[in-house]
Amino acid sequence: MTTSTDLTRQSAARLAELLAAGEVSSQEVTAAHLERMRSVDGAVHAYLHHNDDQAMAVARDVDQARRRGDALPVLAGVPVAVKDVACTIGQPTTAGSRILQGWEPPYDATIVTRLRAAGMPILGKTNMDEFAMGSSTEHSGYGPTGNPWDLRRVPGGSGGGSAAVLASFTAPLAVGSDTGGSIRQPAALTGTVGAKPTYGGISRYGIIALASSLDQIGPCGRTVLDTALLHDVMAGHDPRDSTSIDAPVPPVVAAARRGDVAGMKVGVIRQLSGAGYQPGVRARFDEAVTLLSELGAQVIDVDCPHLDYALGAYYLIMMSEASSNLARYDAMRYGLRVAPDGVAVPSAEQVTAASRGAGFGAEAKRRIILGTYALSSGYYDAYYGQAQKVRTLIARDFAAAFAQVDVLISPTAPTTAWELGAKVEDPMAMYLGDVATIPSNLAGIPGISVPVGLADEDGLPVGLQVLAPAMADDRLYNVAAAVEKALVAQWGGPLSDRVPDLTAAVPTATTSTVQES
Ligand code: GLN
């Protein structure tokens, strides 16, 4: 008999097998995760909204269909958590912002429609930096998420919630979004797996936009195979998204099952693996490079000289697009509406100004102001225009690199998880954490982060990033699976087995109060 704790520890692939064999029901699996959520999420705060009744209703329907003998999709009955950036009918969707508090969309994002069609109960919506702006989840309008490895530390961001549900075993799978690293960097900081597909590989219809030329939806899991299975459910052409690629989905699941790098050419990006990395991150990365050679890959150093300018170009382009996308929050059509103080009959402009003042957090305001400045007529050519030229040079660097190698690698993030509060007042320090992830968003190419161990100095997870050419997402999964297979064998089990027991944990912010009483 499988206990409910056991069920929350299983991979999604294993749960799918147990469900298909009739050994467990989706109601048992879903209830186990909801129970785990009740016992630990008060301390982790990875969820913004729970969806217990709807999740259990879907589980019941799937169980019935299975009993009837219906042919069901692979992940039918396996629950999933969704970043609060995706519209869900009848459930709050806030993108982590107070300006959307209580808003319930009248339609589902395409990826949500696909999760529902796949028979996957949606457990709830996960916490995130406001409008996906940030690298720590501390810019959420609803309070930060703790890193399950150490609740006093950040889980990364903006998708810290989607990574933390996996590391705290309150969901077997989660959906994220990645504009400059928001899937991969939280995966690295929590010892989980996260992939940013090729730009246009997964529909963004119904996804709340941050920077439309960079945003990409993607899958998060505790294993490479789980991540590929979720990728496959969500991917594929969507006529409702004009940037959606109308081509066959790369064979990601087969690649994740293969995990064989013999004969592959792997390039170490010189610009992303030199100075500036924490020693423990560097050490695990160097070992991963050696491991890839031992597994039969040919590893060479590759130069992408313009990557040195990627961070500057990214923050200009991202802020410019964000300032334009966020103009829709005008308090007229939906979301928060605040009456200005001391005005008997306020004008529309006064209501918009008061609502934005109250509803947007400091980071959103900072980006709107800087983005508007960069796009203004006097500065457009000097800032936005220049950044777009740099972007082209970066894409060319990648194209030249992929003429020599099949995939490129780097550490996913320069450091392990830092303490809550350490960088929140220092935007530049926060932005520097994205140095390795943002170049691929600028070029539209896919990337994945896979755990490669714990840093010696702090015992916290380190991620390896793998990048591939556009529409070669399957290569990411193949390389990540090879690394995972070898390391899990070395470790004697997955890294996530070593996450501390959280059942006695209390919310970070209230720890002292609870201890005193
Ligand atoms: N941390 C980056 C930023 O703040 C990336 C965010 C993201 O990928 N959504 O913009």
Side-chain angles (χ1 to χ4, degrees), residues 40-48 125-129 135-168 170 186 190 417-421 507-509:
V40 304
D41 201 55
V44 181
H45 192 233
Y47 283 95
L48 288 179
K125 307 292 286 293
T126 61
N127 197 12
M128 54 184 284
D129 287 297
S135 309
S136 69
T137 316
E138 292 164 295
H139 293 311
S140 166
Y142 304 94
T145 296
N147 188 322
W149 287 83
D150 175 353
L151 293 176
R152 290 161 309 173
R153 291 178 185 265
V154 301
S158 64
S162 283
V165 296
L166 300 169
S168 62
T170 54
T190 58
W418 58 91
E419 287 184 9
L420 284 158
T508 321

Side-chain angles (χ1 to χ4, degrees), residues 12-37:
R14 179 72 188 134
L15 288 173
E17 278 170 16
L18 292 170
L19 286 162
E23 285 179 40
V24 291
S25 67
S26 177
Q27 289 170 86
E28 288 170 306
V29 173
T30 306
H33 285 93
L34 293 171
E35 189 186 311
R36 171 84 184 161
M37 203 194 280

Side-chain angles (χ1 to χ4, degrees), residues 112-137:
V112 172
T113 306
R114 290 186 181 177
L115 297 176
R116 296 195 203 282
M120 300 179 71
I122 296 176
L123 295 164
K125 307 292 286 293
T126 61
N127 197 12
M128 54 184 284
D129 287 297
E130 179 173 20
F131 291 109
M133 297 173 171
S135 309
S136 69
T137 316

Side-chain angles (χ1 to χ4, degrees), residues 61 77 85 136 198 206 237 241 251 260 272 285 345 356 358 382 401-402 431 441 477:
D61 289 349
V85 73
S136 69
T198 298
H237 182 238
D241 174 355
D260 178 5
L272 297 183
F285 175 70
V345 185
R356 287 181 175 163
F402 288 126
Y431 299 167
N441 297 77
Y477 288 97

Side-chain angles (χ1 to χ4, degrees), residues 83 129 131-136 139 157-159 177-185 210 215 314-315 318 363 367 430-431 433-434 437-438 441:
K83 190 175 181 181
D129 287 297
F131 291 109
M133 297 173 171
S135 309
S136 69
H139 293 311
S158 64
S177 69
D178 191 311
T179 302
S182 286
I183 290 176
R184 290 162 287 161
Q185 182 259 15
L210 168 54
D215 295 345
Y314 167 81
Y315 274 93
M318 179 273 300
E363 186 64 20
R367 296 194 189 196
M430 188 85 87
Y431 299 167
D434 304 325
T437 45
I438 56 168
N441 297 77

Side-chain angles (χ1 to χ4, degrees), residues 66 79 82 89 134 159 251 285 308 433:
R66 205 180 297 277
V82 176
I89 289 179
F285 175 70
D308 291 342

Side-chain angles (χ1 to χ4, degrees), residues 75 80-81 111 115 120 162-163 166 172-178 182-184 187 192-198 201-202 216-235 252 446-449 473 476-477:
L75 291 179
V80 60
I111 54 131
L115 297 176
M120 300 179 71
S162 283
L166 300 169
L173 291 169
V175 176
S177 69
D178 191 311
S182 286
I183 290 176
R184 290 162 287 161
T192 57
V193 181
K196 179 201 101 67
T198 298
I202 293 184
Q216 186 51 60
I217 283 290
C220 312
R222 281 190 298 267
T223 71
V224 175
L225 177 59
D226 286 4
T227 310
L229 288 165
L230 183 59
H231 186 138
D232 205 44
V233 168
M234 297 192 291
V252 292
I448 197 168
S449 179
D473 304 42
L476 305 177
Y477 288 97

